[in-house]
Amino acid sequence: MAKSSGKRFMKLAGMTASIAGKAAKNSLRHLSSDEEKRLQARSELMQDVGIQIAETLGEMKGAVMKVGQIASQYKDVFPPEVANALEKLQKDAPPMPYAQIRAQIERELKAPVNELFTEFEETPFAAASIGQVHRAVLPSGQRVVVKVQYPDVDENCDSDLKQVRMALKIAGVLNMSKQLQEQLFNEIRQSLHDELDYIKEAHNLRVFGAFHAEDKGLIIPKVISSHSSKRILTLTEEMGETLTVASTWDNDIKQKIAARLFHFSAGQLFGLYRMHCDPHPGNFAFRADGSVVAYDFGGIRSYSDSEVKLFRRFAKHALKGDVTALEQDLIALDIRRDDDKIVPGEFYEKWLEIGLKPMSIKPYQDGAFDFASSQTHHEAIAQMRTSLKYFGQFQPSATTMMLDRTISGQYWNLVNLGVTIDLSPLVKEYIEF
């Protein structure tokens, strides 16, 4: 363990030193350059730094790679060049040799694999940053999936995170106050620790399974406690098709799927005060009757009563187009800086028009919205360019970071599903406006 920890540390420290050198060289070289040249040079540096971070993290299993993946999901925290390079880490990781996986299962469950399972597929059907998933059969004949965490991931978690943060800081990537850095990295650290604790995930699966029990079209795998531990999670096998396959189905089936994805997230937030915050398409499977299977309950965020009330108030003001009240909500959410600078009402109105169209909210959109040809993301990028001068008045918020990730993730799921749907009746089930 000490040896691999030392090796990781040297690799990460080497990366940090190399980035520090590049950053220093870049600022010296452009001391006397004009603003445009400096911005161009910074963009090139960021691209370079992003690629270097992604390559270093990609070689290393475990928490450090997970940090990279999480960083790529919080796009508003990192410059786009760095986020794009880190995005590569979202793709499936190469699997770990079966011998190490078998040793981990036997160490955790205190019995040989061939006693625990009558069949166990040595090749995983999914590999991620902190573990991989194998199909198996229990002695009872029950088909299951077994999620196995890589050895030593949890022990390296905090030191990995520190190193990545240092590298980003030296590169000048973290353009925010120290206090905000603390909040954001604490949020990332917490979500990492949660994802590394399969006992917690098993508990989440039971809680969410009970919460969604009434909706027969929302399937959450059941935990097999006898074959689960802190680093091994065995679940009933619940099969379904990928989002790519579901996108070829008829629109009425797609509408059922879209409605279920909407209720999955909104229902949890407003009814359970907890939320599955990783709506990556790989965490869902779909059936031809419109049913949705949800996986991976490691990344759960809990919200307080006052936070949920604030989200509801914000949503109500947004839906009514009350920009004065909306600005106060944004200050309360720590998104809008509480200062004397004036942000014109048109700024907010333009963002409301972009954001509320996909939900079929009048006057922005009358009737069903076609997600397959949605321009919302392009409009948001174009609007960002024109409203850059106000961006200093806004900052990423630790309170809404996971919520933003969930909403944008579900938006992309509907775009890739290619559904045409009027979401406004669903919105009205949660927010009166």
Side-chain angles (χ1 to χ4, degrees):
M1 175 58 218
K3 185 167 173 260
S4 74
S5 250
K7 256 209 223 128
R8 296 171 77 81
F9 181 79
M10 290 313 288
K11 241 186 201 175
L12 286 164
M15 171 185 84
T16 305
S18 161
I19 287 171
K22 283 179 186 162
K25 229 188 261 166
N26 182 66
S27 58
L28 279 173
R29 197 182 308 136
H30 295 283
L31 266 178
S32 55
S33 303
D34 62 24
E35 185 68 11
E36 199 167 319
K37 265 203 183 126
R38 270 210 302 275
L39 284 173
Q40 178 60 33
R42 180 176 157 79
S43 177
E44 282 166 16
L45 171 73
M46 288 305 149
Q47 222 157 344
D48 203 7
V49 164
I51 290 165
Q52 189 173 356
I53 293 174
E55 281 178 353
T56 310
L57 305 194
E59 290 167 19
M60 302 164 79
K61 279 267 180 258
V64 74
M65 189 169 149
K66 189 73 193 169
V67 173
Q69 289 186 339
I70 289 176
S72 77
Q73 286 158 339
Y74 299 133
K75 292 209 172 58
D76 48 354
V77 181
F78 301 94
E81 299 89 348
V82 174
N84 291 343
L86 290 173
E87 189 112 53
K88 291 195 195 108
L89 296 171
Q90 288 278 72
K91 308 291 172 267
D92 276 2
M96 190 169 257
Y98 173 65
Q100 281 170 281
I101 292 297
R102 189 184 63 212
Q104 179 77 323
I105 294 172
E106 296 183 345
R107 190 165 43 240
E108 284 289 312
L109 300 181
K110 317 251 182 302
V113 166
N114 57 7
E115 274 179 28
L116 292 161
F117 306 97
T118 46
E119 280 176 46
F120 191 94
E121 286 182 16
E122 294 188 9
T123 308
F125 72 90
S129 52
I130 59 171
Q132 57 195 47
V133 193
H134 295 255
R135 289 196 175 93
V137 180
L138 295 178
S140 65
Q142 166 97 56
R143 302 191 70 79
V144 293
V145 294
V146 187
K147 192 165 150 180
V148 185
Q149 192 174 117
Y150 298 132
D152 304 328
V153 172
D154 45 357
E155 303 195 19
N156 293 318
C157 177
D158 284 352
S159 59
D160 281 358
L161 189 56
K162 257 192 204 120
Q163 284 292 326
V164 173
R165 181 175 172 180
M166 206 191 326
L168 294 171
K169 200 169 159 185
I170 287 169
V173 169
L174 300 172
N175 187 16
M176 59 185 82
S177 72
K178 196 163 186 324
Q179 185 196 358
L180 188 57
Q181 268 187 50
E182 278 303 318
Q183 277 183 317
L184 293 172
F185 274 86
N186 280 342
E187 181 85 12
I188 291 175
R189 183 181 297 111
Q190 191 50 56
S191 71
L192 256 174
H193 280 288
D194 286 352
E195 287 192 44
L196 288 163
D197 186 350
Y198 289 176
I199 293 171
K200 209 169 201 172
E201 184 172 353
H203 172 71
N204 291 336
L205 278 151
R206 292 186 191 101
V207 168
F208 283 83
F211 180 72
H212 291 294
E214 293 306 301
D215 187 346
K216 297 292 169 252
L218 240 174
I219 297 119
I220 292 171
K222 291 180 175 54
V223 179
I224 311 291
S225 306
S226 57
H227 288 60
S228 298
S229 72
K230 190 174 182 214
R231 296 181 186 88
I232 308 289
L233 186 61
T234 300
L235 305 170
T236 54
E237 184 183 59
E238 305 291 353
M239 302 306 289
E241 301 293 347
T242 63
L243 190 61
T244 314
V245 172
S247 70
T248 63
W249 296 340
D250 291 346
N251 195 57
D252 59 336
I253 296 167
K254 291 190 206 180
Q255 285 184 338
K256 284 183 186 168
I257 288 171
R260 291 223 161 90
L261 289 174
F262 185 93
H263 288 308
F264 181 74
S265 294
Q268 290 166 14
L269 179 65
F270 294 115
L272 190 60
Y273 291 22
R274 287 175 172 194
M275 208 175 184
H276 176 293
C277 290
D278 193 1
H280 186 275
N283 287 337
F284 296 102
F286 308 94
R287 295 179 181 171
D289 63 356
S291 300
V292 174
V293 186
Y295 310 115
D296 201 343
F297 285 77
I300 300 300
R301 170 74 149 84
S302 296
Y303 294 98
S304 68
D305 180 53
S306 59
E307 284 171 332
V308 174
K309 278 194 176 118
L310 190 49
F311 296 151
R312 198 186 287 275
R313 198 171 82 202
F314 171 78
K316 197 180 261 189
H317 291 146
L319 292 161
K320 284 182 171 170
D322 184 343
V323 296
T324 313
L326 196 69
E327 187 167 56
Q328 292 311 308
D329 298 334
L330 290 170
I331 290 171
L333 286 164
D334 271 341
I335 295 170
R336 165 81 165 94
R337 294 179 201 271
D338 196 359
D339 55 29
D340 301 331
K341 296 215 172 69
I342 290 171
V343 175
E346 303 82 77
F347 169 87
Y348 294 114
E349 278 156 14
K350 190 68 200 156
W351 280 109
L352 285 178
E353 185 188 332
I354 294 168
L356 294 179
K357 213 186 279 178
M359 293 184 195
S360 297
I361 305 300
K362 294 175 183 167
Y364 312 114
Q365 172 75 19
D366 195 0
F369 181 82
D370 176 8
F371 277 89
S373 57
S374 172
Q375 293 300 302
T376 300
H377 41 289
H378 299 300
E379 287 166 17
I381 290 165
Q383 182 58 19
M384 269 180 174
R385 290 201 184 106
T386 61
S387 49
L388 274 174
K389 58 173 173 285
Y390 303 117
F391 270 41
Q393 270 49 70
F394 298 89
Q395 60 189 6
S397 156
T399 314
T400 60
M401 192 160 66
M402 300 290 262
L403 186 58
D404 295 342
R405 170 181 162 184
T406 307
I407 293 168
S408 66
Q410 291 291 30
Y411 163 76
W412 280 109
N413 286 338
L414 299 191
V415 168
N416 293 321
L417 182 62
V419 65
T420 299
I421 188 171
D422 180 348
L423 289 176
S424 62
L426 307 187
V427 175
K428 284 183 175 136
E429 288 184 40
Y430 299 96
I431 312 287
E432 295 163 27
F433 67 97

